[in-house]
Amino acid sequence: MPTGSCYLPRLRAQARWSSLLLLLLLAITFSPDALAATGSLDLTGSTVGLIAVAIFVLAYALVMGEEKLHMRKSKPVLVAAGLIWAMIGWVYVQLGMPADAEHAFRETLLEFTELMLFLLVAMTYINAMEERRVFDALRSWMLRKGFSYRQLFWITGGLAFFISPIADNLTTAMLMCAVVTKVAEGDRRFINLCCINIVIAANAGGAFSPFGDITTLMVWQAGIIQFSEFFTLLLPSLVNFLIPASVMSFFIKAHRPEGVYEDVWLKRGARRIVLLFLLTVATAVACHTLLHLPPVLGMMTGLGYLQFFGYYLRRSLPRSIERKRERYTRRGDERKLAQLGSVVPFDVFNRVARAEWDTLLFFYGVVMCVGGLGFMGYLGLLSETLYTGWSATWANITLGVISAVVDNIPVMFAVLTMQPEMSHGQWLLITLTAGVGGSLLSIGSAAGVALMGQARGSYTFMGHLRWAPVILLGYIASIVVHLWLNAASFAN
């Protein structure tokens, strides 16, 4: 797909359309028939509330212009979050209720902290595997196999779809992105298409599993949908992935990755770190399923696994080098003897430091902004307006689209808090739409946001936006398949 200057007006128009869509969706909430706010005070019609909405829209407009402005996406949302909560605090102090605002802020901060720590551990493991040359070795293997770009596109997308139900969509997307950026290093257009495909596949795969996404965890934990019932969304989720992937695959050049067919050697402990990562994911799953504790507990425990293993690697490094030197000397292997000179001790905290902090800070800003608007009453008001004024089907479809702009976690939280009267099929529908709706924009899901940081310069907001119509086609098709396939569940 060409990316010349002739496409700039179209891209600007798409960005303006997205901003207008957000304003329209927020304008719906100003209905006088809607109910009260989430906090003690309803600020949705106040001057403070309207200013807060304007600040949020302006911040997101700056995020959307990241590629043109060359400004990190975390900056505007950090400032916006501070201003929104400062206004909330000022109003509540004036009315003698500062404790209410403080409690709400702490609850919102807790929501972010769980997500941030989960992300931090996942990023640390990925950085550790990259430092141990796991992805270099995988890239070398793919080059030796001679996979074409189109085959790589389908392999990474397919793996993302089938791994995300187990390892969650965020972690899976980051793993596949690391492979793509290594295999197609420097080919921005191909990396962008692969990242879009990975985000769609990971979000779709995460929608039919309790472990695949934070929103599915929320629904499962609330006891609304049982474990086995999530798998009724498998076929709709598969359709959501396959339709846009099939269209995008026609725009991939029919050639193979350029590069040298090198023999990459894994650094000591690489395979064991991969096993520790799988053990960490299993620990996170066990914490939730067996102990009914947040999965982040298992992830942080897994970080401890890595730290202990890093300690072992450092302490045993001199003995390991000496043994290998003796072995390679006997064999006369000069190449591997030279490699020993480049061995450095493994340091876990260096891997933590290399995490994508712009992404983590962006998450903080988004969660705190949305949490502040929700406390003012906008999220509850929007959800209530939709479910009282529209049918549940159209409300759930619309909320899925909104989750691409706002974030699916607070949207699902608002729906679960309201507990609208809906059939079981409708609860499955909102689970599906909130899970896959975030694929419409790169900022609509944790996977998309993380990949924007991981593949900075190649995968961008505007690069994802130009494929939004194709992704929307998959979104609509998945809903139609669910309405047809699970029609019986809408009767109860």
Side-chain angles (χ1 to χ4, degrees), residues 416-459:
L416 290 172
T417 302
M418 282 176 29
Q419 288 285 323
E421 290 291 332
M422 294 195 300
S423 65
H424 203 64
Q426 293 292 352
W427 279 109
L428 287 168
L429 178 61
I430 186 60
T431 301
L432 173 68
T433 56
V436 303
S439 301
L440 292 167
L441 296 177
S442 62
I443 58 175
S445 66
V449 173
L451 264 58
M452 278 198 297
Q454 194 172 359
R456 180 181 291 113
S458 298
Y459 174 57

Side-chain angles (χ1 to χ4, degrees), residues 70 158 163 272 406:
H70 303 289
I163 295 175
R272 283 170 284 182
V406 177

Side-chain angles (χ1 to χ4, degrees), residues 64-91:
M64 292 174 181
E66 179 191 16
E67 186 177 4
K68 183 177 180 180
L69 299 174
H70 303 289
M71 180 173 64
R72 294 290 183 96
K73 58 184 174 292
S74 61
K75 295 179 181 179
V77 291
L78 283 173
V79 174
L83 293 175
I84 289 172
W85 278 101
M87 290 190 293
I88 291 173
W90 181 79
V91 170

Side-chain angles (χ1 to χ4, degrees), residues 2 59 91 142 186 197 241 273 301 348 359 380 420 462 488:
V91 170
M142 287 186 172
N197 190 44
F241 157 56
I273 288 177
T301 305
V348 172
T359 298
M462 297 305 294

Side-chain angles (χ1 to χ4, degrees), residues 6 130 150 245 263 354 370 374 378 411 459 486:
C6 61
E130 184 175 16
R150 187 163 293 150
D263 181 21
R354 289 175 62 85
V370 173
Y378 285 109
V411 169
Y459 174 57
N486 303 313

Side-chain angles (χ1 to χ4, degrees), residues 25 386-387 390-404 411 422 426 429-434 436-437 440 472 475-476 478-480 482-483:
L25 295 174
L386 290 174
Y387 283 107
W390 299 6
S391 69
T393 299
W394 283 110
N396 291 330
I397 293 172
T398 303
L399 286 174
V401 176
I402 292 174
S403 70
V411 169
M422 294 195 300
Q426 293 292 352
L429 178 61
I430 186 60
T431 301
L432 173 68
T433 56
V436 303
L440 292 167
L472 181 62
Y475 177 75
I476 294 171
S478 66
I479 293 170
V480 171
H482 170 61
L483 294 175

Side-chain angles (χ1 to χ4, degrees), residues 133 136 139-141 143-144 259-264:
R133 307 196 72 186
D136 287 332
R139 171 180 177 269
S140 177
W141 176 80
L143 288 172
R144 289 198 304 271
V260 179
Y261 288 75
E262 56 182 339
D263 181 21
V264 176

Side-chain angles (χ1 to χ4, degrees), residues 29-90:
T29 66
F30 300 143
S31 168
D33 298 325
L35 299 183
T38 303
S40 304
L41 302 173
D42 182 358
L43 301 178
T44 54
S46 67
T47 301
V48 169
L50 296 176
I51 292 174
V53 171
I55 290 173
F56 179 67
V57 172
L58 176 61
Y60 253 83
L62 292 175
V63 170
M64 292 174 181
E66 179 191 16
E67 186 177 4
K68 183 177 180 180
L69 299 174
H70 303 289
M71 180 173 64
R72 294 290 183 96
K73 58 184 174 292
S74 61
K75 295 179 181 179
V77 291
L78 283 173
V79 174
L83 293 175
I84 289 172
W85 278 101
M87 290 190 293
I88 291 173
W90 181 79

